[in-house]
Amino acid sequence: MSLFSNITLGQYYPGASLLHRMDPRAKILALPLVMIMVLLADGTAGFIMSGIPVLLALLLAGIPPGTYWRGLKPLWAILLIGLAIQSLTYPGEKLWQWGMLSVSREGFILGMKLSYRLSLLILSTMLLTMTTTPMNLTAALEKLLQPLKKFGVPAHELAMMMTIALRFVPTLLEEAEAVMKAQQARGGSVSTGNLNQRLRASVALLVPLLAGSIRRADELAMAMEARGYRGDTGRTRLKQFKYRPVDIIVLTVLIALTIVVAADRWA
Amino acid sequence: MRVSNRKKVICLQGVSYSYPGTNNRIVLDNINLDVHAGEMLVLLGPNGSGKSTLARLMNGLLAPSCGQVLVDGLNTADDTSLWQVRKKVGMVFQNPDNQLVAATVEEELAFGMENLGFPPEEMMKRIREISARMQLDELLNFPPHRLSGGQKQRVAIASVLAIEPQALVLDEPTSMLDPAGRREVISELNRLKQSGKTVVLVTHDMTEAITADRIVVLVQGKAAFMGPPRECFSRVAWLQEIGLEIPPAAELARRIRGKGLVVPQDLYHVADWVEYLCQES
Ligand SMILES: Nc1ncnc2c1ncn2[C@@H]1O[C@H](COP(=O)(O)OP(=O)(O)OP(=O)(O)O)[C@@H](O)[C@H]1O
Ligand SMILES: [Mg+2]
């Protein structure tokens, strides 16, 4: 079992649900809309309205709830600490007291709101990455950023960098593990000893990794060039995206909801 | 095999090379070499003799310091035709991990075609063809890190073949593979050879070298030998002097002769042995 294989946060979950089949560009555009909505929401109506699209998407994605749960696990601590800090520090009507510590009603409500918003934000981002392959995500991002090229945004280069980074993460993790094991075999360890020892072990891990990456980058550049890579010029793409009616409907509904939520807040 | 009157795919004329910033240390010295259409040419030589450098000169990754390299008549030193050159001569490298760019096998097969501006439908068609031909269709959605070394190298070969180059240059494609992966890639190479593709293979493995039509031995940047494999491997003393092995089958014959038994001179391949032993009994 690989040391790093338990990183599952937001990893792509293969499937053929409505969400999986949506145009990745539409999904990328939907995310900021949902985020704005969640952040603007205030009051019961707003909270319900902003929660519905996320909840619906969660149900429609065809991903077992356990997977979301596991994905959120590393973040529970953050949510709980946020709740605790808000409830304990916000002044207001005392709900509960224990020695120096007291929980205020206003603080508790504020904390709950914060947790609710954070969970929605995290879940909606997770939904995007869990229903879209990294490859489609970068390709769609490139397409969306295309118009900004006029203003000097290096859309293609950014997408290529992301693709290569994603491609090499598993390879680098494997390599890190190999170096770590080699060092453990010789008595060095990143996870034991005092801070100084650990720091040294980390440096001893990072230096070969870095050197390896530079050599790798050199060879990869050569291989890409050999296959006719010359940046964006004259390049076509295998993946072609097409907006379908669902994508338009989803985006329209989200825009409408955002406006309603905003109106509700300032009304 | 008659190769002399065939079309020349790659022409090296008086090519010398020294890497920039190395005080003009000559890595390749006045190489004259033609690669003919349909032949399998194997480059041998001790470490540092310039094999990889020669390979990189063949598709314009490096431009010669002296002399010229012509690919199907196009000069590789000419920047304007460089992309044509890269389309005509495909390259496969040693390390399978450092030449795959894309997130999946399918995208990898498309990468070269995308660079050269193929329309999407054409890419789709070629990916289907090539993946069926090379038994990669089940791996199309696999990320590279889930493939074995042999599979990665076959994907690298397939993605180069997808742009249908006239010649394929492979720089030690099997040297980082385990025996199983090596067999996988070698059988792919044999298929390529049979289909009449022009192949230039750099290798240290003499079992691979014996299947060549022609062998070029580089020693310190000079083409010290050029000719058929059998002639090459008959020069046992010279090969040992420059630090090269001879094929295992030939080594076996040599050792048996050393024990005082009489076996013919020309047993270079397992197949030769099989033939010899069967006719004897
Ligand atoms: N990028 C470079 N810069 C400077 N010198 C180099 C570079 N690459 C190779 N050389 C030198 O050029 C010579 C030939 O190297 P090359 O890699 O072509 O040899 P090779 O025959 O492929 O060796 P090997 O069997 O080890 O792969 C060597 O002496 C090497 O040190
Ligand atoms: Mg080499």
Side-chain angles (χ1 to χ4, degrees):
Chain A
M1 200 65 198
S2 168
L3 183 63
F4 297 100
S5 63
N6 51 1
I7 302 174
T8 52
L9 186 65
Q11 215 171 56
Y12 178 66
Y13 188 94
S17 73
L18 181 71
L19 240 73
H20 282 87
R21 283 178 290 124
M22 264 179 74
D23 188 318
R25 288 173 302 174
K27 282 188 268 187
I28 293 178
L29 289 174
L31 187 63
L33 281 175
V34 171
M35 287 185 158
I36 291 170
M37 197 156 37
V38 167
L39 293 175
L40 283 181
D42 206 15
T44 322
F47 277 126
I48 290 175
M49 268 191 284
S50 60
I52 285 175
V54 181
L55 197 70
L56 219 64
L58 285 174
L59 291 175
L60 284 175
I63 297 171
T67 314
Y68 300 125
W69 184 257
R70 272 194 301 281
L72 273 179
K73 225 177 183 168
L75 302 164
W76 276 120
I78 297 173
L79 292 180
L80 284 177
I81 291 169
L83 179 62
I85 290 176
Q86 289 284 354
S87 341
L88 292 175
T89 57
Y90 202 82
E93 179 192 337
K94 281 196 178 56
L95 271 186
W96 183 77
Q97 182 139 23
W98 188 71
M100 293 254 299
L101 299 172
S102 67
V103 172
S104 72
R105 178 189 192 78
E106 287 81 356
F108 184 71
I109 291 173
L110 214 64
M112 287 302 277
K113 283 184 182 173
L114 180 78
S115 302
Y116 179 74
R117 284 202 179 111
L118 263 179
S119 328
L120 286 186
L121 291 180
I122 294 163
L123 280 172
S124 49
T125 316
M126 254 171 63
L127 269 172
L128 173 66
T129 56
M130 287 175 91
T131 62
T132 322
T133 59
M135 182 176 78
N136 277 338
L137 216 52
T138 45
L141 215 58
E142 179 178 356
K143 262 262 151 27
L144 285 174
L145 289 177
Q146 207 81 321
L148 296 182
K149 259 182 21 194
K150 281 198 282 293
F151 308 106
V153 176
H156 168 72
E157 286 74 9
L158 281 174
M160 192 46 119
M161 265 164 55
M162 270 169 74
T163 309
I164 292 176
L166 284 168
R167 148 79 182 85
F168 279 97
V169 164
T171 314
L172 288 178
L173 288 180
E174 262 168 40
E175 203 167 285
E177 213 176 324
V179 175
M180 229 144 110
K181 279 188 181 139
Q183 276 164 5
Q184 264 164 9
R186 280 177 259 146
S189 168
V190 190
S191 49
T192 56
N194 62 31
L195 190 66
N196 191 9
Q197 282 166 334
R198 283 196 211 186
L199 222 60
R200 273 168 193 237
S202 310
V203 170
L205 175 69
L206 285 176
V207 170
L209 261 187
L210 213 63
S213 313
I214 291 171
R215 182 176 36 77
R216 222 181 260 291
D218 208 37
E219 281 181 32
L220 188 70
M222 170 92 65
M224 285 169 72
E225 208 184 317
R227 283 159 73 189
Y229 181 71
R230 47 182 159 157
D232 211 3
T233 36
R235 191 173 151 85
T236 48
R237 297 303 314 253
L238 173 70
K239 282 266 173 308
Q240 299 292 319
F241 299 124
K242 205 164 170 285
Y243 286 114
R244 292 182 308 149
V246 227
D247 303 310
I248 311 288
I249 293 170
V250 168
L251 286 179
T252 319
V253 169
L254 282 178
I255 291 171
L257 259 179
T258 310
I259 293 170
V260 173
V261 169
D264 176 62
R265 182 193 175 104
W266 284 300
Chain B
M1 180 168 288
R2 288 190 355 263
V3 284
S4 51
N5 53 1
R6 291 225 204 126
K7 192 181 137 199
K8 293 169 188 165
V9 181
I10 304 170
C11 261
L12 292 100
Q13 299 169 343
V15 169
S16 299
Y17 188 82
S18 49
Y19 281 97
T22 56
N23 288 327
N24 295 328
R25 195 169 65 87
I26 302 282
V27 170
L28 286 177
D29 190 5
N30 190 24
I31 305 277
N32 288 291
L33 172 66
D34 293 336
V35 182
H36 300 273
E39 81 169 322
M40 173 151 167
L41 183 86
V42 162
L43 283 179
L44 295 178
N47 290 109
S49 55
K51 305 180 296 295
S52 299
T53 310
L54 187 60
R56 281 165 196 181
L57 280 158
M58 288 182 173
N59 78 338
L61 283 175
L62 299 175
S65 318
C66 255
Q68 57 177 2
V69 181
L70 299 177
V71 171
D72 199 20
L74 297 170
N75 193 331
T76 59
D78 181 1
D79 275 348
T80 52
S81 57
L82 202 51
W83 308 109
Q84 289 295 105
V85 168
R86 304 254 158 97
K87 203 170 164 178
K88 289 175 196 287
V89 179
M91 236 11 230
V92 174
F93 298 86
Q94 181 176 21
N95 190 333
D97 265 323
N98 297 354
Q99 58 182 318
L100 302 183
V101 190
T104 63
V105 170
E106 185 182 32
E107 288 271 304
E108 191 63 47
L109 295 180
F111 182 72
M113 295 191 274
E114 290 182 324
N115 292 335
L116 296 167
F118 282 56
E121 306 77 45
E122 176 71 16
M123 288 192 225
M124 233 102 87
K125 194 177 125 249
R126 289 201 185 182
I127 289 172
R128 263 199 308 276
E129 279 168 13
I130 202 112
S131 59
R133 176 143 50 93
M134 291 184 61
Q135 283 119 44
L136 293 170
D137 20 15
E138 270 157 32
L139 303 177
L140 280 182
N141 288 317
F142 274 54
H145 64 96
R146 296 259 317 272
L147 305 177
S148 72
Q151 286 172 331
K152 282 183 204 166
Q153 246 3 11
R154 285 202 299 126
V155 168
I157 294 174
S159 58
V160 171
L161 287 178
I163 54 176
E164 296 182 355
Q166 293 183 1
L168 203 61
V169 179
L170 305 106
D171 189 355
E172 299 193 41
T174 59
S175 65
M176 292 183 77
L177 304 180
D178 55 8
R182 195 171 283 218
R183 274 196 297 278
E184 221 178 308
V185 171
I186 288 173
S187 68
E188 201 54 61
L189 287 177
N190 287 334
R191 254 196 303 267
L192 275 180
K193 182 170 139 67
Q194 260 142 38
S195 71
K197 250 280 140 10
T198 314
V199 176
V200 177
L201 175 66
V202 177
T203 185
H204 279 292
D205 186 323
M206 297 305 153
T207 325
E208 289 170 30
I210 194 78
T211 61
D213 295 316
R214 206 149 58 103
I215 287 185
V216 174
V217 181
L218 285 180
V219 182
Q220 294 187 339
K222 289 192 175 67
F225 173 88
M226 215 180 272
R230 279 163 197 279
E231 198 184 321
C232 175
F233 294 120
S234 64
R235 305 183 174 187
V236 177
W238 178 67
L239 287 174
Q240 277 176 340
E241 185 193 318
I242 62 170
L244 287 183
E245 295 167 13
I246 55 176
E251 177 66 16
L252 178 67
R254 199 179 66 81
R255 288 199 192 168
I256 287 177
R257 268 196 298 278
K259 294 258 184 260
L261 290 166
V262 182
V263 288
Q265 288 291 333
D266 56 351
L267 299 175
Y268 298 112
H269 203 271
V270 179
D272 299 338
W273 270 101
V274 171
E275 198 179 314
Y276 167 65
L277 290 173
C278 288
Q279 117 202 335
E280 277 295 280
S281 54

